[in-house]
Amino acid sequence: MGYFYDLDVYLGRLNEPYYPVYIGWIIAMICFYWYYYKSLRQGFKDKCGGMPWQTNMWNFANDFVYVVGFSRWFSKTSPTHHWVTEFL
């Protein structure tokens, strides 16, 4: 049928300190927010949109889906309860 994985096993692997992944996440987050900062700054300088609206809509849609499930973040009985989901 399809490929499935056990969520507990997947999230449990994140508890093992694998620093290259954490360093990659940190670099990706810094680059992500740096892109927003530079784009908005340039947009204000040029008095135009700093980035395509599709880029923002993709990000807003992703954030919206995550916020809708807010009650699952900190619920101890939720299968997605993990320090990574709380951090995000």
Side-chain angles (χ1 to χ4, degrees), residues 69-87:
F70 180 77
S71 62
R72 295 180 299 179
W73 295 1
F74 302 104
S75 171
K76 301 289 185 200
T77 60
S78 172
T80 58
H81 174 73
H82 193 267
W83 67 267
V84 170
T85 57
E86 290 178 7
F87 175 74

Side-chain angles (χ1 to χ4, degrees), residues 5-16 82:
Y5 56 89
D6 186 14
L7 188 59
D8 292 332
V9 172
Y10 177 74
L11 291 174
R13 288 184 183 159
L14 294 174
N15 291 330
E16 301 167 7
H82 193 267

Side-chain angles (χ1 to χ4, degrees), residues 55-66:
T55 304
N56 274 331
M57 291 302 107
W58 178 266
N59 190 40
F60 293 151
N62 180 43
D63 290 347
F64 177 75
V65 169
Y66 203 75

Side-chain angles (χ1 to χ4, degrees), residues 4-74:
F4 298 99
Y5 56 89
D6 186 14
L7 188 59
D8 292 332
V9 172
Y10 177 74
L11 291 174
R13 288 184 183 159
L14 294 174
N15 291 330
E16 301 167 7
Y18 190 60
Y19 296 111
V21 172
Y22 298 150
I23 291 168
W25 280 353
I26 291 168
I27 291 170
M29 287 298 221
I30 290 171
C31 291
F32 179 74
Y33 287 110
W34 185 253
Y35 165 76
Y36 266 153
Y37 167 74
K38 293 297 281 183
S39 296
L40 292 174
R41 186 169 175 246
Q42 189 64 40
F44 278 113
K45 258 192 210 177
D46 296 342
K47 295 185 181 12
C48 68
M51 64 187 78
W53 64 270
Q54 294 93 338
T55 304
N56 274 331
M57 291 302 107
W58 178 266
N59 190 40
F60 293 151
N62 180 43
D63 290 347
F64 177 75
V65 169
Y66 203 75
V67 168
V68 166
F70 180 77
S71 62
R72 295 180 299 179
W73 295 1
F74 302 104

